[in-house]
Amino acid sequence: MFRRMFSRSLYRLKNLSGSRGLSLHNSSISSDYAVLAAFQPLLHNRPYATTPPPAAFASSLNQTELAKFAAIADSWWDAEGPFKPLHVMNPTRLAFLRSTLCRHFGKDPFSPRPFEGLKFVDVGCGGGILSEPLARMGASVTGIDAVEKNIKIARLHADLDPVASSIEYRCTTAENLVEEQMTFDAVIALEVIEHVADPAEFCKSLSSLTVSNGATVISTINRSMRAYATAIVAAEYILHWLPKGTHQWSSFLTPEELVLILQRASISVEEMAGFAYDPLTGQWTLTDDIGVNFIAFGIKTANNSSV
Amino acid sequence: MSRLIATRRLVSNIFVPRLATRAFCTDAPAKLNDVPSGSHFNKEPEGDERFMNDVPQHDIAIVGGGMVGMALACSLASMPLTKHLSIAIIDSNPALSNGPLIKKDDPPDPRVSTVTPATISLFKDIGAWEHVEQHRHAYFDKMQVWDYTGFGYTKYNARDADKDVLGCVVENKVLHKSLLSCLQNKDFNSTIYPTRLSSLSLPTRSVSSAGGSVSSTSSKNLANLAKLDLSDGTNLYAKLVVGADGSKSRVRELAGIKTTGWNYSQSAVICTVEHPTENFCAWQRFLPAGPIALLPIGDNFSNIVWTMSPKDASNHKIMNEVDFVKAVNHALDSGYGPRPESRVFGGDVLSSFFRPDVTSSVHERFEPPPKVVRLVSDRMAFPLSLMHANQYASKRMVLIGDAAHTVHPLAGQGVNMGYGDVSSLSNVIADGVAVGSDIGEVTLLKKYEAERKTANIAMMAVLDGFQKAYSVDFGPINILRAAAFNGANVFAPLKRNIISYASGERRLPFLS
């Protein structure tokens, strides 16, 4: 299992870096990869994608990932169900969003609805756990998800609150929105990029959806040994917070990789933070430690700047 | 609110023809004449958008507009993140609508509270303390605690903990009136409903999965909110219901929250008395049946809180005034046992050995309390008990103040715990609004519960421990208590800890 795990990650690295050597020396977790790099394993195809994505694949979706989420869609709003970790982490993510976006757009952080007049898109909105609070903060939110069931659940729940019923939910992909030439002030894709087949293409789509000087926020889990121990072994197998197989360690991105692919998509990452979980209080807090969960806030640079 | 009552009758007239034509309203004709039970209007089939808009919807409904409920309203009004919320206060107390002004030369009301410095800073933050200071109030910076055995005493001075005051004694009606004035002066969307809560329906968890296509969007909205039925027939919807209605809380009863606790076999007699000179110190003497406390209230008056058995309490309530004053002086000074000596059990040795740690108040002699010359108010008696609600929060409902916990008055902490709840709940609500949560969401309210439950239970354990320790008259226990008195008197760190815990600076005892 370990060999397959390493080989998958190496395949990933090669895929990402292409002809450019990926500088791992500055990373604090590079020692792990120095070990990996020393291996010269056979390269296997990623066994999790049932059909390897063709070169001209327009969407960055991964069908098996979608099926996993469709299976547990009914329990999105059950705060004690399989999505409990997301519910518990939600206020912390929103705190980061609130502080960075208020600062970026120059809004009053003490206003109860600071995002009035801004258009946001929540990519991979699931049941709307993030979209509803954003709507309550005043934004005009569009929530998109590739799983039809999720959109249905999201709409049903949003109708319970008059403020949330202004959210536009659509069962579509980021690429389709790009084709429709829609743009938003802020594009938010939290805990999504680790489930897509081609993260680089996904980031390009997100970038096309963002207006110039708009914000792009992505959160994901780091591809580190600690993350394997906590997010996969502990969360899925020991504590049973998440169903087994929710995450694939090889699909995780390191912060450096994320910054790189965003840079290629004309998004310059300005701030990054990590989430830390305190088992005694059961609360998540924002921290500088990006070793496991991290969130990145980037600004779309003007179109003619070169990477 | 008379306007609301008038519209109810008008509404019943307007809707008579409509209801008669509805096919699916089977008991409509019978109920049309039964006007007082206005609640059935809201259970009508949901197509009637125009009617739905007549039912008031608020963000927060505070049931109980006493000292703690009003403090919550003022606190929400004073924070930028929450002052846009619309609040309903439900309390049938006429003092809320147009209460009589407090006249300055009224004798002090026997119902008083000792507010700790933590509560004073809460009041200052919400802008109500300036109103309190315009009425009678008494800061005190000294306190003396001793018992009838005469073995030891403790004198606390605010200077031991580098503070100016240990607390302030204020009449409850002054606190309440100040909060009311503070709220009225603020530009805040609050409505007072001068009535009582008769029933409450909180949404169940299965609302989100209810996929009925017959009901319209607006009814699904309302089904997700808490519905309050008031005793005058009006109804209102709220995202969050706050139970601030005292120890016999109706909200707690309707929400089905059980409590744990026990009755102390004691009652407290309270009254206001007068001295020849002004009293600046708080005095508490533990007697075999319970403590007697003398708290300065301003001018030459003091408030007495005397805990004793229920039978004695009723005797003391009805005995004539002269006898009562004699009994009080007997309890405070001359009776039940000797006065403590100023230096006991080698106190000199102790203080010289621990010289750097010794407090300045060690060198203060035992002072007998001031003599009481006259009773100036009625005597009231009420039974004492310990009560703690098993949960403080459930979906769209939260309890604060005496509705969540009641304690023995021996340390003057009861209402201060309630104000701690107010401070914590308003911060939790503000944090929720900041991240766009639904304020009635259980996960948010459980944060308040987690914060306050630990603090309240710790305080209740300490107070209950004191109450039990002082109800035993047994030689070795008396000596232990005396040792505790002397220890607390002599050791500065311990005294500082006690003062800062009792002042509300720290939530938990003995943890810095």
Side-chain angles (χ1 to χ4, degrees):
Chain A
M1 187 197 65
F2 273 50
R3 218 176 106 233
R4 256 191 17 202
M5 189 179 81
F6 289 162
S7 65
R8 260 186 268 130
S9 61
L10 212 56
Y11 167 76
R12 231 3 226 301
L13 277 172
K14 286 190 75 108
N15 213 23
L16 271 177
S17 56
S19 52
R20 271 171 74 137
L22 191 62
S23 161
L24 298 170
H25 302 297
N26 297 331
S27 162
S28 58
I29 24 177
S30 63
S31 52
D32 300 323
Y33 299 101
V35 172
L36 286 178
F39 279 79
Q40 291 293 328
L42 297 167
L43 291 174
H44 302 278
N45 274 334
R46 286 174 53 151
Y48 277 80
T50 47
T51 50
F57 193 56
S59 165
S60 49
L61 299 174
N62 182 335
Q63 293 301 327
T64 9
E65 300 285 334
L66 298 184
K68 272 195 273 181
F69 279 102
I72 46 174
D74 287 318
S75 53
W76 266 105
W77 285 98
D78 181 5
E80 304 296 317
F83 288 108
K84 182 174 174 182
L86 215 52
H87 280 276
V88 181
M89 203 198 283
N90 208 31
T92 322
R93 318 192 287 182
L94 285 160
F96 179 84
L97 282 172
R98 188 190 172 92
S99 88
T100 48
L101 295 176
C102 273
R103 215 173 315 134
H104 177 65
F105 292 112
K107 301 288 181 184
D108 174 17
F110 287 111
S111 154
R113 292 172 65 88
F115 300 143
E116 205 73 62
L118 295 173
K119 281 173 58 190
F120 288 5
V121 63
D122 179 7
V123 180
C125 63
I129 293 182
L130 189 73
S131 309
E132 286 192 21
L134 289 174
R136 284 196 201 101
M137 288 199 249
S140 319
V141 180
T142 304
I144 66 170
D145 198 280
V147 177
E148 175 72 37
K149 233 176 157 191
N150 286 346
I151 296 292
K152 283 210 181 79
I153 301 277
R155 274 207 198 103
L156 268 176
H157 194 270
D159 283 341
L160 295 175
D161 184 350
V163 177
S165 33
S166 64
I167 301 175
E168 192 195 331
Y169 284 115
R170 294 177 55 181
C171 179
T172 176
T173 62
E175 290 76 16
N176 284 347
L177 287 188
V178 172
E179 277 170 33
E180 291 173 30
Q181 296 184 333
M182 296 194 72
T183 53
F184 300 90
D185 296 303
V187 173
I188 304 171
L190 303 189
E191 310 295 321
V192 178
I193 198 167
E194 66 261 26
H195 299 286
V196 299
D198 190 347
E201 280 307 311
F202 182 65
C203 286
K204 288 214 169 70
S205 309
L206 294 185
S207 172
S208 313
L209 287 173
T210 319
V211 300
S212 186
N213 210 34
T216 305
V217 186
I218 295 183
S219 89
T220 184
I221 306 179
N222 198 339
R223 193 179 68 249
S224 63
M225 287 296 135
R226 259 180 67 208
Y228 186 77
T230 48
I232 297 191
V233 176
E236 291 180 18
Y237 292 86
I238 298 178
L239 297 171
H240 301 293
W241 281 359
L242 302 170
K244 294 193 185 50
T246 302
H247 288 126
Q248 296 311 313
W249 189 78
S250 56
S251 330
F252 291 166
L253 290 174
T254 64
E256 295 81 14
E257 289 166 0
L258 184 65
V259 171
L260 193 67
I261 58 180
L262 282 173
Q263 219 176 4
R264 286 187 181 170
S266 325
I267 294 174
S268 130
V269 173
E270 301 290 312
E271 279 188 56
M272 211 185 270
F275 299 132
Y277 180 71
D278 178 7
L280 292 175
T281 56
Q283 304 278 348
W284 290 87
T285 40
L286 284 174
T287 165
D288 287 330
D289 174 18
I290 52 176
V292 186
N293 293 75
F294 70 96
I295 185 167
F297 160 74
I299 304 180
K300 169 97 175 274
T301 51
N303 286 334
N304 53 4
S305 73
S306 59
V307 169
Chain B
M1 289 311 111
S2 56
R3 189 195 137 261
L4 264 180
I5 296 169
T7 37
R8 178 175 45 80
R9 293 194 183 272
L10 205 57
V11 152
S12 70
N13 291 332
I14 290 171
F15 285 96
V16 162
R18 267 179 192 267
L19 288 167
T21 55
R22 259 183 234 264
F24 40 93
C25 186
T26 50
D27 50 3
K31 285 225 179 129
L32 281 176
N33 300 326
D34 189 15
V35 166
S37 64
S39 57
H40 80 280
F41 281 118
N42 297 351
K43 292 199 191 76
E44 290 309 356
E46 298 82 357
D48 202 344
E49 298 288 306
R50 189 160 65 92
F51 177 77
M52 279 303 156
N53 292 335
D54 288 346
V55 180
Q57 267 194 50
H58 293 273
D59 291 313
I60 301 183
I62 303 179
V63 180
M67 291 193 285
V68 176
M70 289 306 280
L72 179 66
C74 283
S75 180
L76 292 172
S78 65
M79 291 194 293
L81 281 169
T82 51
K83 58 184 188 202
H84 67 289
L85 297 173
S86 104
I87 308 266
I89 301 173
I90 299 162
D91 194 322
S92 54
N93 183 356
L96 284 180
S97 337
N98 256 329
L101 294 169
I102 300 176
K103 292 188 271 295
K104 293 229 188 297
D105 24 337
D106 270 350
D109 198 66
R111 308 204 66 154
V112 306
S113 301
T114 313
V115 289
T116 56
T119 304
I120 297 176
S121 43
L122 169 71
F123 270 66
K124 283 185 177 156
D125 285 343
I126 65 185
W129 192 250
E130 56 203 35
H131 297 280
V132 171
E133 287 189 321
Q134 287 164 9
H135 296 100
R136 188 187 286 116
H137 63 288
Y139 289 103
F140 63 95
D141 59 350
K142 292 199 296 268
M143 184 158 134
Q144 181 176 288
V145 185
W146 72 111
D147 70 354
Y148 65 97
T149 58
F151 288 150
Y153 68 100
T154 316
K155 266 190 101 77
Y156 296 100
N157 195 313
R159 270 181 284 119
D160 296 335
D162 305 320
K163 301 156 85 63
D164 288 325
V165 292
L166 286 176
C168 184
V169 184
V170 191
E171 292 157 81
N172 289 354
K173 67 181 191 202
V174 168
L175 285 171
H176 192 221
K177 192 80 188 148
S178 314
L179 289 167
L180 194 58
S181 316
C182 172
L183 189 64
Q184 283 162 350
N185 288 347
K186 288 199 205 295
D187 174 27
F188 189 54
N189 183 359
S190 72
T191 318
I192 296 180
Y193 290 81
T195 173
R196 270 190 306 278
L197 180 71
S198 62
S199 91
L200 180 66
S201 67
L202 298 168
T204 53
R205 287 186 64 187
S206 56
V207 170
S208 58
S209 48
S213 52
V214 185
S215 33
S216 71
T217 313
S218 66
S219 73
K220 271 193 277 181
N221 287 345
L222 295 175
N224 194 31
L225 298 175
K227 177 157 160 261
L228 293 90
D229 297 322
L230 306 180
S231 57
D232 67 351
T234 46
N235 303 297
L236 57 107
Y237 286 93
K239 288 187 189 151
L240 176 64
V241 177
V242 178
D245 42 354
S247 52
K248 294 181 189 50
S249 167
R250 182 112 176 95
V251 172
R252 189 183 69 222
E253 185 190 325
L254 290 170
I257 293 188
K258 306 264 182 308
T259 61
T260 316
W262 44 86
N263 288 328
Y264 294 122
S265 50
Q266 289 174 323
S267 291
V269 173
I270 58 172
C271 61
T272 316
V273 297
E274 194 179 357
H275 304 290
T277 53
E278 200 166 345
N279 173 23
F280 290 108
C281 175
W283 313 85
Q284 177 146 297
R285 188 182 190 206
F286 284 92
L287 304 173
I292 178 166
L294 188 72
L295 303 165
I297 185 64
D299 306 321
N300 289 354
F301 300 113
S302 288
N303 181 271
I304 299 248
V305 180
W306 191 356
T307 307
M308 57 184 90
S309 72
K311 203 153 133 323
D312 287 338
S314 35
N315 286 344
H316 279 84
K317 203 169 146 192
I318 54 180
M319 63 167 61
N320 73 53
E321 293 191 9
V322 176
D323 287 340
F324 182 75
V325 167
K326 266 205 222 124
V328 164
N329 282 322
H330 187 248
L332 279 175
D333 196 21
S334 42
Y336 298 96
R339 287 184 190 171
E341 291 297 315
S342 288
R343 303 282 167 86
V344 164
F345 293 148
D348 278 335
V349 174
L350 271 175
S351 53
S352 60
F353 194 65
F354 292 102
R355 189 171 305 280
D357 286 340
V358 155
T359 57
S360 59
S361 51
V362 163
H363 304 287
E364 285 181 45
R365 305 197 148 272
F366 171 83
E367 258 181 74
K371 272 233 162 332
V372 169
V373 296
R374 198 164 68 90
L375 179 68
V376 295
S377 78
D378 292 331
R379 284 158 276 172
M380 297 183 193
F382 45 89
L384 302 175
S385 63
L386 179 85
M387 184 275 292
H388 190 252
N390 292 348
Q391 288 176 309
Y392 288 6
S394 78
K395 192 161 164 71
R396 301 213 179 278
M397 193 276 316
V398 72
L399 298 172
I400 59 174
D402 276 0
H405 43 74
T406 64
V407 292
H408 197 283
L410 64 82
Q413 294 294 328
V415 81
N416 294 297
M417 285 162 67
Y419 288 126
D421 293 347
V422 163
S423 173
S424 167
L425 183 63
S426 34
N427 285 335
V428 162
I429 292 178
D431 289 343
V433 170
V435 291
S437 332
D438 180 359
I439 50 177
E441 205 44 62
V442 184
T443 35
L444 184 71
L445 301 174
K446 286 292 179 193
K447 282 192 198 153
Y448 152 77
E449 179 172 339
E451 200 185 316
R452 286 312 295 171
K453 223 178 193 183
T454 1
N456 287 337
I457 289 186
M459 177 65 85
M460 290 167 83
V462 168
L463 296 179
D464 197 51
F466 270 119
Q467 196 272 337
K468 297 211 161 29
Y470 283 98
S471 10
V472 179
D473 182 17
F474 181 50
I477 308 277
N478 291 350
I479 308 258
L480 267 177
R481 285 204 303 254
F485 270 129
N486 282 323
N489 202 24
V490 170
F491 295 118
L494 182 59
K495 194 181 271 192
R496 218 174 292 136
N497 252 341
I498 293 174
I499 294 178
S500 82
Y501 181 54
S503 307
E505 275 175 6
R506 279 177 315 127
R507 284 179 32 213
L508 296 170
F510 303 127
L511 288 172
S512 46

